[in-house]
């Protein structure tokens, strides 16, 4: 029986900069502190999965720059004995994001340089040699080569997922939230070849074409099952999931709707919010890998996301699955509408 999870696509470093406020045109704003951590789907999800289950085989597949940032990526992943980096190739410059955090409001903004990740494509994935249960890829919108159109499948990302799916491997895809809302529709072709779809409410609203927050930014609960049904119609074969701060919501392989409340964390609990979405997805993928029900997987995903909030780094706060669930059990939960 196949075992393990491959995470493929975007990898880089996050340069965290705490600032006094976001500058306007011609303004100067002081940077209060600077720190470096691993970033991107591949490094975040690989580390999350490795921490949630230290016995799980995890495989990283990406392009890493032949530079100092690239050295940091390899050094960071080497700390985890169950992460296999043999599918990481080095060329060009490593992708990075400047993560700007307003120290007063905790609002964030990102400046992204895609680097070598922009060139990552299906030729860098040894599909015929993959020996895993799940293949997770992303992010759509910043993997330029895989975002390119494909005559048969819609995008090259969709074609990659199709070929992996044909190997009997469960597929999963992720995307980023972008100000270019129309471009977010690039995820749609990939959904056709996706077994496990997990998007946040903003991404889901664009991909499904169904509003999920009202003018007061409140979640429109009655529209969530409609968006999930749309994703199933679009091709999500096993699970379709939407996550938001309020909770996790999904439709399983039997067409049944499940939802799990988010956690209410105490003041001072949050060290950073970068990577919480990847942690949620990682918990969900681990649940699928271990043949959990969707509801069990949503609970694990919520626990993983909560743990990740404890540290500024995207993954360092994540705990082994049972410890993460124990921590979640100590926190009050959101009252879902």
């Amino acid at each position: 029986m196949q075992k393990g999870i491959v995470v493929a696509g975007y990898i880089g470093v996050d340069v965290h900069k705490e600032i006094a406020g976001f500058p306007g045109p011609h303004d100067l704003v002081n940077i209060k502190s600077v720190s470096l951590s691993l970033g991107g789907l591949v490094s975040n999800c690989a580390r999350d999965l490795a921490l949630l289950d230290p016995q799980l085989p995890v495989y990283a597949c990406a392009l890493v720059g032949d530079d100092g940032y690239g050295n940091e990526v390899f050094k960071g992943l080497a700390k985890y004995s169950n992460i296999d980096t043999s599918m990481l190739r080095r060329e060009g410059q490593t992708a990075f994001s400047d993560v700007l955090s307003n120290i007063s409001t905790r609002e964030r903004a990102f400046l992204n340089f895609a680097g070598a990740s922009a060139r990552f494509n299906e030729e860098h994935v040894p599909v015929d040699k993959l020996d895993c249960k799940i293949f997770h890829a992303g992010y759509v919108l910043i993997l330029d080569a895989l975002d390119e159109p494909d005559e048969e499948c819609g995008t090259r990302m969709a074609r990659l997922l199709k070929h992996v799916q044909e190997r009997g491997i469960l597929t999963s895809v992720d995307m980023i939230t972008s100000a270019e809302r129309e471009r977010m529709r690039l995820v749609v072709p990939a959904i056709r070849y996706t077994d496990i779809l997990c998007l946040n409410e903003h991404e889901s609203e664009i991909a499904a074409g169904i509003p999920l927050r009202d003018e007061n930014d409140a979640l429109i609960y009655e529209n969530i099952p409609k968006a999930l049904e749309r994703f199933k119609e679009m091709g999500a074969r096993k699970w379709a999931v939407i996550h938001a701060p309020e909770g996790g919501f999904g439709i399983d392989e039997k067409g049944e709707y499940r939802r799990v409340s988010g956690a209410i964390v105490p003041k001072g609990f949050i060290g950073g919010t970068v990577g919480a979405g990847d942690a949620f997805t990682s918990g969900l993928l681990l649940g699928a890998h271990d043949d959990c029900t969707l509801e069990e997987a949503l609970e694990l995903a919520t626990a993983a996301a909560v743990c990740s909030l404890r540290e500024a780094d995207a993954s360092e706060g994540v705990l082994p699955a049972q410890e993460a669930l124990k921590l979640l059990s100590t926190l009050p939960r959101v009252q879902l509408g």
Side-chain angles (χ1 to χ4, degrees):
M1 181 179 177
Q2 290 173 308
K3 185 178 180 181
I5 299 176
V6 171
V7 286
Y10 186 89
I11 192 168
V13 298
D14 289 337
V15 185
H16 302 270
K17 298 176 180 177
E18 291 198 320
I19 56 178
F22 293 112
H26 313 296
D27 286 349
L28 183 148
V29 171
N30 288 324
I31 298 171
K32 300 297 185 180
S33 69
V34 180
S35 60
L36 184 76
S37 67
L38 302 192
L41 177 142
V42 174
S43 56
N44 290 352
C45 291
R47 292 183 297 150
D48 293 339
L49 289 163
L51 288 164
L52 285 166
D53 182 357
Q55 304 305 312
L56 176 73
V58 181
Y59 307 90
C61 181
L63 289 182
V64 180
D66 190 13
D67 55 14
Y69 281 167
N71 294 340
E72 291 297 321
V73 168
F74 274 89
K75 186 166 71 173
L77 295 181
K79 297 176 182 177
Y80 305 87
S81 61
N82 55 329
I83 296 180
D84 185 316
T85 59
S86 61
M87 286 189 284
L88 291 182
R89 291 174 53 179
R90 302 197 72 168
E91 62 177 64
Q93 291 178 270
T94 302
F96 70 87
S97 292
D98 281 339
V99 183
L100 309 178
S101 298
N102 185 319
I103 58 176
S104 300
T105 65
R106 306 310 298 178
E107 292 176 308
R108 295 178 298 152
F110 302 85
L111 300 173
N112 179 254
F113 172 67
S117 286
R119 298 188 297 278
F120 181 79
N121 61 66
E122 62 273 26
E123 295 174 2
H124 300 116
V125 182
V127 175
D128 294 338
K129 297 179 181 179
L130 292 179
D131 184 20
C132 59
K133 186 172 182 177
I134 300 174
F135 179 87
H136 178 53
Y139 307 107
V140 173
L141 291 189
I142 56 172
L143 291 171
D144 293 353
L146 287 174
D147 286 339
E148 290 179 0
D150 178 79
E151 207 169 286
E152 177 191 355
C153 299
T155 64
R156 291 172 71 181
M157 172 68 86
R159 184 172 66 188
L160 169 62
L161 295 176
K162 177 179 183 288
H163 291 160
V164 173
Q165 213 175 49
E166 289 170 347
R167 288 280 321 281
I169 297 169
L170 294 175
T171 58
S172 171
V173 70
D174 202 355
M175 66 182 298
I176 60 162
T177 305
S178 171
E180 300 176 84
R181 292 172 70 87
E182 280 306 308
R183 287 195 72 240
M184 291 172 68
R185 297 280 299 168
L186 276 172
V187 76
V188 171
I191 296 174
R192 181 181 173 190
Y193 304 104
T194 298
D195 292 286
I196 302 165
L197 181 68
C198 182
L199 302 176
N200 69 33
E201 77 276 28
H202 304 294
E203 297 155 356
S204 297
E205 180 173 287
I206 301 300
I210 296 173
L212 294 178
R213 287 201 180 273
D214 62 21
E215 62 276 7
N216 299 314
D217 202 36
L219 208 55
I220 307 174
Y221 286 100
E222 62 269 26
N223 280 0
I224 293 176
K226 298 175 185 177
L228 292 167
E229 288 285 2
R230 180 73 54 82
F231 291 145
K232 296 290 279 187
E233 292 167 2
M234 292 162 69
R237 297 201 302 191
K238 181 176 173 67
W239 294 343
V241 171
I242 295 171
H243 64 92
E246 292 87 345
F249 312 84
I251 290 180
D252 65 16
E253 58 269 56
K254 298 177 182 177
E256 296 178 357
Y257 179 55
R258 303 291 184 217
R259 62 182 199 168
V260 167
S261 299
I264 301 171
V265 298
K267 187 176 180 180
F269 182 93
I270 298 177
T273 56
V274 174
D278 284 330
F280 185 98
T281 300
S282 297
L284 188 77
L285 293 176
L286 180 60
H289 181 276
D290 292 349
D291 298 321
C292 295
T293 66
L294 176 56
E295 190 166 3
E296 291 169 337
L298 287 171
E299 189 77 359
L300 179 56
T302 301
V306 166
C307 288
S308 78
L309 296 174
R310 301 183 308 144
E311 301 288 345
D313 179 272
S315 301
E316 286 183 355
V318 174
L319 296 168
Q322 292 307 311
E323 292 180 36
L325 289 166
K326 185 176 180 180
L327 173 61
L328 179 62
S329 72
T330 68
L331 298 172
R333 308 294 284 270
V334 174
Q335 188 71 35
L336 296 178

